[in-house]
Amino acid sequence: MELRQIRYFLKAKELLNFTEAANHLFISQSTLSQQIKQLEDELGIPLFNRIGKRISLTEAGIVFAKYAEKSLLKSQEGFLAMQDLKGSKSGELNIGVTYGMRSTMISALIRFSKEYPGVRVNIVFATTSELLDQLHHIKLDFILTFAEGNRVELFNYTPLFTSPMVLVTAKSSAFIHHKSISLETIAELPLAMPTKGYSTTRYIMKAFEENNLEPKILIEINDIPALLELVKSGNWSSILAQTTITEKDDLVTIPIEGENMIRTAMVISLKDAYEKQSMRNFYQYLKVK
């Protein structure tokens, strides 16, 4: 059954005349008659009584007309929905975010939602590895994270900006006036760090190993807001990307010395998957500083 056949049927039902219906549809009468006959054959029951040049709906035709009208209406609504999606007026975005990209995502989301208030946005916070797994299983449209290590052929990687790695410490710290700090100095400090599942921890631990240093990690925690509260106490410091910390966090950040102490923020999406127009629009807000 095709939508074309349903439209033909409804026009014939409206005018109760095949010739007039065909004229309104800009097709030949024979084409209209043939399409309606195919529809009746598929349903296995006649929809019209044919008495000479006059036609009338059968009982089956009356019943079918109710569903045909609903079907045509729903198809039209679906077409409009697709048009809206093309214009990003509606639809849904599923975004995975690592905590280090929190402020970037929130800033972009606020601006995006003002321009496209009809788009529903679902945000998931997790570690990079957890988000990549969800992306792989098409549970997310894209993720925001700091990329490191080998690239996976399955994904697209779009660079956004770079962010330095910093020592995060309380305002009572003796280091607050330092313009930079070395890994050697940091290795002597009591540290509270994100758990090993976080890419930031993997990244900085690799840097310590390459410099033959053993940091004093006394606390590992999988909740970044709780981690920042611990740092505020002045008992521990931490190491994070600069963009993880905002003015509202009320902490001091000191850039870490070294060539590899810069990370690249990335949008990662599934290669060869359909890219929604709303995704492309959201990317533009991520690039605005």
Side-chain angles (χ1 to χ4, degrees):
M1 188 183 302
E2 299 176 1
L3 284 174
R4 179 181 66 247
Q5 293 172 327
I6 292 175
R7 286 198 300 272
Y8 291 176
F9 163 76
L10 290 174
K11 181 56 69 174
K13 171 250 180 187
E14 175 189 344
L15 299 176
L16 292 178
N17 186 294
F18 282 172
T19 301
E20 291 184 22
N23 291 335
H24 277 79
L25 293 166
F26 302 103
I27 59 175
S28 66
Q29 181 180 334
S30 60
T31 298
L32 176 66
S33 299
Q34 183 183 34
Q35 290 296 314
I36 289 178
K37 184 63 169 63
Q38 288 180 5
L39 180 60
E40 290 175 321
D41 290 342
E42 184 173 352
L43 292 172
I45 192 168
L47 299 174
F48 291 98
N49 294 308
R50 296 164 174 82
I51 307 171
K53 294 183 179 181
R54 293 167 45 219
I55 61 171
S56 63
L57 285 173
T58 63
E59 182 180 5
I62 294 171
V63 173
F64 181 74
K66 297 177 183 179
Y67 294 97
E69 288 168 350
K70 291 179 182 179
S71 176
L72 190 60
L73 178 62
K74 288 298 180 183
S75 70
Q76 291 169 341
E77 290 175 349
F79 176 80
L80 291 176
M82 294 303 101
Q83 293 301 107
D84 281 347
L85 283 173
K86 289 181 180 179
S88 301
K89 296 177 183 177
S90 65
E92 183 173 276
L93 272 180
N94 299 292
I95 306 173
V97 188
T98 56
Y99 198 85
M101 297 287 285
R102 172 193 56 163
S103 60
T104 300
M105 183 278 297
I106 290 175
S107 175
L109 179 58
I110 290 171
R111 297 194 303 275
F112 174 83
S113 295
K114 285 181 180 178
E115 187 69 24
Y116 305 103
V119 178
R120 176 186 173 89
V121 182
N122 303 311
I123 305 293
V124 176
F125 279 97
T127 65
T128 300
S129 57
E130 290 168 341
L131 294 175
L132 286 172
D133 182 66
Q134 292 190 52
L135 181 62
H136 183 202
H137 290 89
I138 322 178
K139 294 179 180 179
L140 298 170
D141 293 311
F142 64 92
I143 67 175
L144 305 176
T145 185
F146 287 100
E148 89 282 343
N150 297 326
R151 302 290 176 86
V152 178
E153 184 65 25
L154 189 65
F155 302 120
N156 291 316
Y157 297 81
T158 305
L160 291 174
F161 56 83
T162 58
S163 179
M165 295 296 291
V166 295
L167 178 74
V168 184
T169 189
K171 290 188 173 181
S172 59
S173 169
F175 298 99
I176 62 170
H177 298 299
H178 286 226
K179 293 184 178 180
S180 63
I181 191 167
S182 67
L183 283 173
E184 288 77 10
T185 301
I186 295 173
E188 298 300 319
L189 302 177
L191 297 175
M193 293 292 294
T195 53
K196 293 180 177 64
Y198 284 76
S199 63
T200 293
T201 300
R202 293 197 300 270
Y203 189 87
I204 201 66
M205 288 305 298
K206 181 179 179 182
F208 278 125
E209 290 172 7
E210 290 174 348
N211 287 274
N212 298 313
L213 297 171
E214 269 192 51
K216 295 179 180 179
I217 299 177
L218 304 181
I219 296 176
E220 290 188 4
I221 187 168
N222 68 348
D223 183 79
I224 303 298
L227 172 64
L228 297 180
E229 288 300 314
L230 290 174
V231 174
K232 286 179 185 178
S233 72
N235 296 325
W236 304 273
S237 295
S238 190
I239 302 170
L240 297 166
Q242 176 70 65
T243 55
T244 307
I245 311 302
T246 66
E247 291 183 5
K248 292 185 291 184
D249 292 320
D250 199 30
L251 291 163
V252 174
T253 59
I254 306 168
I256 300 173
E257 299 166 4
E259 294 182 358
N260 298 321
M261 290 297 107
I262 300 291
R263 305 199 68 195
T264 301
M266 291 273 185
V267 171
I268 304 180
S269 58
L270 198 60
K271 189 173 289 186
D272 298 326
Y274 172 72
E275 190 174 77
K276 301 174 183 176
Q277 179 64 42
S278 54
M279 286 173 59
R280 293 193 290 271
N281 290 339
F282 197 97
Y283 293 164
Q284 300 307 309
Y285 291 93
L286 290 169
K287 295 176 182 178
V288 175
K289 292 293 189 294

